Amino acid sequence: MDIQDIYKNLKSKFGDDKLNLEEIQKDSYIEVSKDILLSVCQHLRDQESLLFDSLVCVSGVHYPSTHEKPRFEVVYHLFSYAHKHKLVLKVILGLDQDLSIPSVETVWKGANWLERETFDMYGIAFENHSDLRRILCPDDWEGYPLRKDYKVQEKYRHIKVTM
Amino acid sequence: MVNLTTNIHAPYGSHIEDKNILLTTVDKISNWARSSSVWPFTFGLACCAIEMMATGAPKYDLDRFGAGVFRASPRQSDLMIVAGTVVIKMALRIERLFAQMPEPRYVISMGACATNGGPYWQHGYHVLKGVDRVIPVDVYVPGCPPRPEALIEGIMLLQKKMMKEKRITEKFTHGHPRYL
Ligand code: SF4
C-alpha cells in the first residue's frame, strides 16, 4: 500500500479533520492530532490490510521560535513486515501548549525506550508511559540537549562540564 | 651496584666471594620489579580501545614490555589506560574505579578524547573535557586514535617515571608515602 491508500483507509475510519496528508516527494507523511494518536496507531497495527507490526523509531524535532512555524514534532516511523510497506506519522505540538503526548507503548512495546530517548533529548512527556526516565543523560541532568536553545550546564555535581 | 668480588681489599675478603651478592637500594629494586610488571586495567571506552587491544595482541605484543596482563578488576591492576571518550556519566564511575585501585597506581590518558574531549571538545555536551578533571594523569598519549607504537611509547615513558620514584626512601625519611 502506498501512502495515499493508507491515508484513505484512515480517513474512512477517523474522518479528515484530525488527519492531514503532506505529500512531499519521497518524504510524504501523515500528520495526526494527538488526541486520536493512540487509536490511529492501534488501527494501523491491527487492521488486516495495514498490519504495521514494527515501530522503527520515534524521534523529535525542534523548530525554535526563530523559525517561521515554531513547533515540536514527534515522528513515528512504521514498517509492516507482513505487507512490506512503511509510513511516517507526525504529531505536531505547539511551543505554547504543554509538551505531552500519549505513549504508544501499549501498541508497540518497543516504544518504551524510543520514547524515553525523545523525552531525554526534548523534554516531551509521554503520558501513561510505564517508566519515563532519562535514558542517555544522567538522571539528574539539567535541560534537554537537542533543543535548539539548549545551553549546557556549567557543572554536573562536582565536575566542570564546559570548556 | 658494586661488585665486591673484584675488590681484593674488600673487608670481607673471600667470605662472600662465592655467594653472589649484589648491592642496590630497596627503592631501585622495588621500582624495577614494579615497572617490569605493570598490570593494566581493561578499560576501553571508545574507538581508542581497538588500538589498545591491538597493542595487547601478538603483533605488537605488550607483554614484551611487561605490561600485557590486562585485568578485569581495579583491585588487581596498577595502571588505568583511559582509552576513549569519557562521557560525564562514565566520569563518576571512573572516579570510583580509580579509588578502588590499590596504590601505587598510574593513569595513562590515551587519545585526544581522554586528554581534552577530542572531536567533542566544543559541542559534546555529554563529554568530559579531559579525564584529568576527575583523576590525576601520569602520561598523555596524543592521537586520534594513537597507534599501538604510540601507546607503547607512553607505557615505556611511564616505566621510566616509575624507575625514578623514591617511595621507600620518602616513607622512611618523611614519615609518609608520596601520594600521587
Ligand atoms: S581520540 Fe579519536 S579514536 Fe580515540 S576515542 Fe576519541 S574519537 Fe575515538
mmCIF file of all heavy atoms in Angstrom, chain A residues 121 135-138 141 145 152 156-163, chain B residues 88-89 91-92 95 116 121-122 124-129 133-134:
data_model
loop_
_atom_site.group_PDB
_atom_site.id
_atom_site.type_symbol
_atom_site.label_atom_id
_atom_site.label_comp_id
_atom_site.label_asym_id
_atom_site.label_seq_id
_atom_site.Cartn_x
_atom_site.Cartn_y
_atom_site.Cartn_z
ATOM 1 N N MET A 121 15.947 13.889 25.262
ATOM 2 C CA MET A 121 16.559 14.884 24.387
ATOM 3 C C MET A 121 15.696 16.134 24.206
ATOM 4 O O MET A 121 16.216 17.214 23.948
ATOM 5 C CB MET A 121 16.839 14.260 23.015
ATOM 6 C CG MET A 121 17.872 13.170 23.055
ATOM 7 S SD MET A 121 19.473 13.842 23.493
ATOM 8 C CE MET A 121 20.063 12.615 24.631
ATOM 9 N N ILE A 135 17.211 8.316 29.515
ATOM 10 C CA ILE A 135 17.824 7.041 29.134
ATOM 11 C C ILE A 135 19.303 7.181 28.844
ATOM 12 O O ILE A 135 20.094 6.280 29.101
ATOM 13 C CB ILE A 135 17.079 6.419 27.939
ATOM 14 C CG1 ILE A 135 17.492 4.968 27.717
ATOM 15 C CG2 ILE A 135 17.257 7.233 26.679
ATOM 16 C CD1 ILE A 135 16.634 4.234 26.738
ATOM 17 N N LEU A 136 19.742 8.346 28.313
ATOM 18 C CA LEU A 136 21.152 8.517 27.970
ATOM 19 C C LEU A 136 21.861 9.445 28.946
ATOM 20 O O LEU A 136 22.915 9.120 29.472
ATOM 21 C CB LEU A 136 21.277 9.061 26.543
ATOM 22 C CG LEU A 136 20.747 8.124 25.462
ATOM 23 C CD1 LEU A 136 20.669 8.829 24.125
ATOM 24 C CD2 LEU A 136 21.602 6.898 25.346
ATOM 25 N N CYS A 137 21.307 10.601 29.177
ATOM 26 C CA CYS A 137 21.936 11.539 30.110
ATOM 27 C C CYS A 137 21.749 11.015 31.537
ATOM 28 O O CYS A 137 20.871 10.208 31.796
ATOM 29 C CB CYS A 137 21.290 12.907 29.982
ATOM 30 S SG CYS A 137 21.630 13.695 28.416
ATOM 31 N N PRO A 138 22.570 11.510 32.474
ATOM 32 C CA PRO A 138 22.368 11.112 33.871
ATOM 33 C C PRO A 138 20.993 11.572 34.359
ATOM 34 O O PRO A 138 20.448 12.554 33.850
ATOM 35 C CB PRO A 138 23.472 11.857 34.624
ATOM 36 C CG PRO A 138 24.448 12.268 33.594
ATOM 37 C CD PRO A 138 23.726 12.393 32.317
ATOM 38 N N TRP A 141 20.474 15.258 35.234
ATOM 39 C CA TRP A 141 20.971 16.224 34.235
ATOM 40 C C TRP A 141 19.961 17.362 34.085
ATOM 41 O O TRP A 141 18.761 17.152 34.270
ATOM 42 C CB TRP A 141 21.133 15.496 32.899
ATOM 43 C CG TRP A 141 21.927 16.243 31.877
ATOM 44 C CD1 TRP A 141 21.433 16.801 30.737
ATOM 45 C CD2 TRP A 141 23.329 16.502 31.877
ATOM 46 N NE1 TRP A 141 22.460 17.387 30.034
ATOM 47 C CE2 TRP A 141 23.630 17.223 30.717
ATOM 48 C CE3 TRP A 141 24.364 16.185 32.760
ATOM 49 C CZ2 TRP A 141 24.915 17.642 30.399
ATOM 50 C CZ3 TRP A 141 25.641 16.599 32.447
ATOM 51 C CH2 TRP A 141 25.908 17.320 31.279
ATOM 52 N N PRO A 145 19.116 18.347 25.741
ATOM 53 C CA PRO A 145 20.227 18.691 24.855
ATOM 54 C C PRO A 145 19.887 18.956 23.389
ATOM 55 O O PRO A 145 20.575 19.717 22.752
ATOM 56 C CB PRO A 145 21.149 17.485 24.969
ATOM 57 C CG PRO A 145 20.821 16.872 26.263
ATOM 58 C CD PRO A 145 19.379 17.120 26.491
ATOM 59 N N VAL A 152 24.407 24.236 27.747
ATOM 60 C CA VAL A 152 24.901 23.180 28.622
ATOM 61 C C VAL A 152 25.197 23.752 30.006
ATOM 62 O O VAL A 152 25.585 24.917 30.140
ATOM 63 C CB VAL A 152 26.140 22.506 28.002
ATOM 64 C CG1 VAL A 152 27.344 23.397 28.040
ATOM 65 C CG2 VAL A 152 26.442 21.182 28.694
ATOM 66 N N TYR A 156 28.340 19.615 36.548
ATOM 67 C CA TYR A 156 27.498 18.484 36.897
ATOM 68 C C TYR A 156 28.046 17.900 38.194
ATOM 69 O O TYR A 156 29.186 17.441 38.223
ATOM 70 C CB TYR A 156 27.507 17.435 35.793
ATOM 71 C CG TYR A 156 26.806 16.169 36.196
ATOM 72 C CD1 TYR A 156 25.423 16.154 36.374
ATOM 73 C CD2 TYR A 156 27.516 15.012 36.456
ATOM 74 C CE1 TYR A 156 24.787 15.011 36.789
ATOM 75 C CE2 TYR A 156 26.887 13.859 36.861
ATOM 76 C CZ TYR A 156 25.516 13.872 37.034
ATOM 77 O OH TYR A 156 24.879 12.739 37.458
ATOM 78 N N ARG A 157 27.284 17.967 39.249
ATOM 79 C CA ARG A 157 27.781 17.649 40.601
ATOM 80 C C ARG A 157 29.085 18.430 40.819
ATOM 81 O O ARG A 157 29.093 19.628 40.709
ATOM 82 C CB ARG A 157 27.951 16.143 40.788
ATOM 83 C CG ARG A 157 26.606 15.436 40.574
ATOM 84 C CD ARG A 157 26.599 14.051 41.129
ATOM 85 N NE ARG A 157 25.427 13.326 40.638
ATOM 86 C CZ ARG A 157 25.245 12.033 40.771
ATOM 87 N NH1 ARG A 157 26.124 11.293 41.395
ATOM 88 N NH2 ARG A 157 24.159 11.450 40.308
ATOM 89 N N HIS A 158 30.222 17.719 41.053
ATOM 90 C CA HIS A 158 31.455 18.464 41.287
ATOM 91 C C HIS A 158 32.313 18.569 40.039
ATOM 92 O O HIS A 158 33.425 19.039 40.086
ATOM 93 C CB HIS A 158 32.246 17.766 42.394
ATOM 94 C CG HIS A 158 32.542 16.328 42.039
ATOM 95 N ND1 HIS A 158 31.583 15.351 42.047
ATOM 96 C CD2 HIS A 158 33.679 15.758 41.612
ATOM 97 C CE1 HIS A 158 32.126 14.205 41.657
ATOM 98 N NE2 HIS A 158 33.402 14.427 41.385
ATOM 99 N N ILE A 159 31.796 18.090 38.905
ATOM 100 C CA ILE A 159 32.621 18.036 37.690
ATOM 101 C C ILE A 159 32.312 19.230 36.789
ATOM 102 O O ILE A 159 31.150 19.512 36.515
ATOM 103 C CB ILE A 159 32.342 16.736 36.914
ATOM 104 C CG1 ILE A 159 32.620 15.522 37.809
ATOM 105 C CG2 ILE A 159 33.161 16.673 35.660
ATOM 106 C CD1 ILE A 159 32.152 14.231 37.226
ATOM 107 N N LYS A 160 33.359 19.885 36.336
ATOM 108 C CA LYS A 160 33.159 21.004 35.412
ATOM 109 C C LYS A 160 32.829 20.432 34.044
ATOM 110 O O LYS A 160 33.532 19.555 33.537
ATOM 111 C CB LYS A 160 34.429 21.851 35.361
ATOM 112 C CG LYS A 160 34.272 23.103 34.552
ATOM 113 C CD LYS A 160 35.414 24.083 34.857
ATOM 114 C CE LYS A 160 35.385 25.260 33.902
ATOM 115 N NZ LYS A 160 36.232 25.087 32.722
ATOM 116 N N VAL A 161 31.768 20.929 33.436
ATOM 117 C CA VAL A 161 31.314 20.365 32.174
ATOM 118 C C VAL A 161 31.792 21.194 30.986
ATOM 119 O O VAL A 161 32.255 20.668 29.984
ATOM 120 C CB VAL A 161 29.776 20.260 32.140
ATOM 121 C CG1 VAL A 161 29.300 19.743 30.804
ATOM 122 C CG2 VAL A 161 29.280 19.352 33.250
ATOM 123 N N THR A 162 31.701 22.511 31.105
ATOM 124 C CA THR A 162 32.016 23.370 29.965
ATOM 125 C C THR A 162 33.519 23.469 29.770
ATOM 126 O O THR A 162 34.315 23.109 30.644
ATOM 127 C CB THR A 162 31.447 24.767 30.199
ATOM 128 O OG1 THR A 162 31.795 25.166 31.519
ATOM 129 C CG2 THR A 162 29.948 24.773 30.055
ATOM 130 N N MET A 163 33.913 23.960 28.594
ATOM 131 C CA MET A 163 35.341 24.170 28.355
ATOM 132 C C MET A 163 35.870 25.168 29.393
ATOM 133 O O MET A 163 36.905 25.118 29.892
ATOM 134 C CB MET A 163 35.575 24.733 26.961
ATOM 135 C CG MET A 163 35.618 23.677 25.860
ATOM 136 S SD MET A 163 36.732 22.318 26.180
ATOM 137 C CE MET A 163 38.278 23.058 25.680
ATOM 138 N N ILE B 88 30.155 12.119 30.704
ATOM 139 C CA ILE B 88 30.002 12.587 32.075
ATOM 140 C C ILE B 88 29.496 11.484 32.997
ATOM 141 O O ILE B 88 29.924 11.351 34.134
ATOM 142 C CB ILE B 88 29.018 13.771 32.104
ATOM 143 C CG1 ILE B 88 29.475 14.840 31.133
ATOM 144 C CG2 ILE B 88 28.810 14.284 33.500
ATOM 145 C CD1 ILE B 88 30.246 15.951 31.676
ATOM 146 N N LYS B 89 28.586 10.667 32.454
ATOM 147 C CA LYS B 89 28.062 9.577 33.264
ATOM 148 C C LYS B 89 29.187 8.625 33.669
ATOM 149 O O LYS B 89 29.221 8.115 34.788
ATOM 150 C CB LYS B 89 27.034 8.800 32.436
ATOM 151 C CG LYS B 89 25.690 8.608 33.093
ATOM 152 C CD LYS B 89 24.774 7.976 32.075
ATOM 153 C CE LYS B 89 23.521 7.455 32.669
ATOM 154 N NZ LYS B 89 22.637 6.909 31.620
ATOM 155 N N ALA B 91 32.324 9.427 33.929
ATOM 156 C CA ALA B 91 33.322 10.107 34.759
ATOM 157 C C ALA B 91 33.135 9.741 36.230
ATOM 158 O O ALA B 91 34.104 9.523 36.958
ATOM 159 C CB ALA B 91 33.220 11.611 34.562
ATOM 160 N N LEU B 92 31.884 9.646 36.649
ATOM 161 C CA LEU B 92 31.624 9.281 38.042
ATOM 162 C C LEU B 92 32.124 7.865 38.328
ATOM 163 O O LEU B 92 32.679 7.589 39.376
ATOM 164 C CB LEU B 92 30.122 9.348 38.332
ATOM 165 C CG LEU B 92 29.450 10.707 38.131
ATOM 166 C CD1 LEU B 92 27.954 10.576 38.294
ATOM 167 C CD2 LEU B 92 30.004 11.711 39.109
ATOM 168 N N GLU B 95 35.971 7.758 38.535
ATOM 169 C CA GLU B 95 36.425 8.199 39.854
ATOM 170 C C GLU B 95 36.382 7.048 40.846
ATOM 171 O O GLU B 95 37.320 6.814 41.595
ATOM 172 C CB GLU B 95 35.502 9.306 40.360
ATOM 173 C CG GLU B 95 36.014 10.675 40.099
ATOM 174 C CD GLU B 95 35.092 11.707 40.711
ATOM 175 O OE1 GLU B 95 33.887 11.424 40.851
ATOM 176 O OE2 GLU B 95 35.590 12.787 41.018
ATOM 177 N N ASN B 116 41.455 15.791 26.193
ATOM 178 C CA ASN B 116 40.725 17.065 26.328
ATOM 179 C C ASN B 116 39.378 17.087 25.619
ATOM 180 O O ASN B 116 38.879 18.137 25.265
ATOM 181 C CB ASN B 116 41.588 18.241 25.853
ATOM 182 C CG ASN B 116 41.743 18.221 24.353
ATOM 183 O OD1 ASN B 116 41.450 17.208 23.715
ATOM 184 N ND2 ASN B 116 42.164 19.321 23.778
ATOM 185 N N TRP B 121 35.210 18.427 21.743
ATOM 186 C CA TRP B 121 35.611 19.455 22.712
ATOM 187 C C TRP B 121 34.659 20.627 22.719
ATOM 188 O O TRP B 121 34.486 21.290 23.712
ATOM 189 C CB TRP B 121 37.043 19.909 22.440
ATOM 190 C CG TRP B 121 37.167 20.683 21.178
ATOM 191 C CD1 TRP B 121 37.322 20.182 19.925
ATOM 192 C CD2 TRP B 121 37.104 22.100 21.041
ATOM 193 N NE1 TRP B 121 37.371 21.186 19.016
ATOM 194 C CE2 TRP B 121 37.243 22.373 19.664
ATOM 195 C CE3 TRP B 121 36.960 23.159 21.931
ATOM 196 C CZ2 TRP B 121 37.220 23.681 19.166
ATOM 197 C CZ3 TRP B 121 36.943 24.449 21.427
ATOM 198 C CH2 TRP B 121 37.073 24.696 20.067
ATOM 199 N N GLN B 122 33.986 20.898 21.593
ATOM 200 C CA GLN B 122 33.160 22.097 21.543
ATOM 201 C C GLN B 122 31.673 21.812 21.747
ATOM 202 O O GLN B 122 31.026 22.439 22.569
ATOM 203 C CB GLN B 122 33.364 22.802 20.209
ATOM 204 C CG GLN B 122 32.776 24.186 20.214
ATOM 205 C CD GLN B 122 33.073 24.928 18.928
ATOM 206 O OE1 GLN B 122 33.499 24.339 17.943
ATOM 207 N NE2 GLN B 122 32.851 26.216 18.933
ATOM 208 N N GLY B 124 30.215 18.659 22.295
ATOM 209 C CA GLY B 124 29.824 17.448 23.017
ATOM 210 C C GLY B 124 29.424 17.782 24.446
ATOM 211 O O GLY B 124 30.242 17.745 25.344
ATOM 212 N N TYR B 125 28.162 18.091 24.628
ATOM 213 C CA TYR B 125 27.694 18.480 25.966
ATOM 214 C C TYR B 125 27.876 17.377 26.990
ATOM 215 O O TYR B 125 27.975 17.621 28.166
ATOM 216 C CB TYR B 125 26.211 18.885 25.907
ATOM 217 C CG TYR B 125 25.325 17.797 25.362
ATOM 218 C CD1 TYR B 125 24.781 16.844 26.207
ATOM 219 C CD2 TYR B 125 25.056 17.700 24.005
ATOM 220 C CE1 TYR B 125 24.012 15.821 25.715
ATOM 221 C CE2 TYR B 125 24.277 16.682 23.498
ATOM 222 C CZ TYR B 125 23.765 15.747 24.347
ATOM 223 O OH TYR B 125 23.023 14.732 23.867
ATOM 224 N N HIS B 126 27.901 16.126 26.505
ATOM 225 C CA HIS B 126 27.939 14.995 27.420
ATOM 226 C C HIS B 126 29.348 14.471 27.631
ATOM 227 O O HIS B 126 29.543 13.500 28.335
ATOM 228 C CB HIS B 126 27.075 13.883 26.847
ATOM 229 C CG HIS B 126 27.565 13.444 25.490
ATOM 230 N ND1 HIS B 126 27.688 14.323 24.440
ATOM 231 C CD2 HIS B 126 28.004 12.249 25.044
ATOM 232 C CE1 HIS B 126 28.160 13.667 23.401
ATOM 233 N NE2 HIS B 126 28.377 12.419 23.732
ATOM 234 N N VAL B 127 30.348 15.094 26.985
ATOM 235 C CA VAL B 127 31.706 14.556 27.042
ATOM 236 C C VAL B 127 32.544 15.338 28.045
ATOM 237 O O VAL B 127 32.543 16.560 28.049
ATOM 238 C CB VAL B 127 32.371 14.595 25.646
ATOM 239 C CG1 VAL B 127 33.817 14.166 25.726
ATOM 240 C CG2 VAL B 127 31.623 13.710 24.686
ATOM 241 N N LEU B 128 33.243 14.600 28.882
ATOM 242 C CA LEU B 128 34.146 15.229 29.838
ATOM 243 C C LEU B 128 35.359 15.757 29.072
ATOM 244 O O LEU B 128 35.997 15.027 28.322
ATOM 245 C CB LEU B 128 34.582 14.182 30.868
ATOM 246 C CG LEU B 128 35.402 14.704 32.030
ATOM 247 C CD1 LEU B 128 34.538 15.537 32.950
ATOM 248 C CD2 LEU B 128 36.030 13.565 32.790
ATOM 249 N N LYS B 129 35.688 17.025 29.299
ATOM 250 C CA LYS B 129 36.766 17.628 28.508
ATOM 251 C C LYS B 129 38.121 17.338 29.159
ATOM 252 O O LYS B 129 38.815 18.227 29.635
ATOM 253 C CB LYS B 129 36.553 19.139 28.378
ATOM 254 C CG LYS B 129 35.166 19.550 27.920
ATOM 255 C CD LYS B 129 34.895 19.086 26.493
ATOM 256 C CE LYS B 129 33.590 19.622 25.957
ATOM 257 N NZ LYS B 129 32.403 19.128 26.642
ATOM 258 N N ARG B 133 40.185 16.010 34.731
ATOM 259 C CA ARG B 133 39.275 16.758 35.595
ATOM 260 C C ARG B 133 38.767 15.904 36.754
ATOM 261 O O ARG B 133 38.205 16.430 37.704
ATOM 262 C CB ARG B 133 38.065 17.248 34.797
ATOM 263 C CG ARG B 133 38.442 18.352 33.856
ATOM 264 C CD ARG B 133 37.232 18.955 33.201
ATOM 265 N NE ARG B 133 37.674 20.023 32.312
ATOM 266 C CZ ARG B 133 36.856 20.855 31.697
ATOM 267 N NH1 ARG B 133 35.557 20.751 31.845
ATOM 268 N NH2 ARG B 133 37.331 21.792 30.926
ATOM 269 N N VAL B 134 38.883 14.602 36.634
ATOM 270 C CA VAL B 134 38.431 13.750 37.732
ATOM 271 C C VAL B 134 39.523 12.904 38.382
ATOM 272 O O VAL B 134 39.439 12.611 39.562
ATOM 273 C CB VAL B 134 37.234 12.843 37.335
ATOM 274 C CG1 VAL B 134 35.988 13.649 37.124
ATOM 275 C CG2 VAL B 134 37.540 12.024 36.109
#
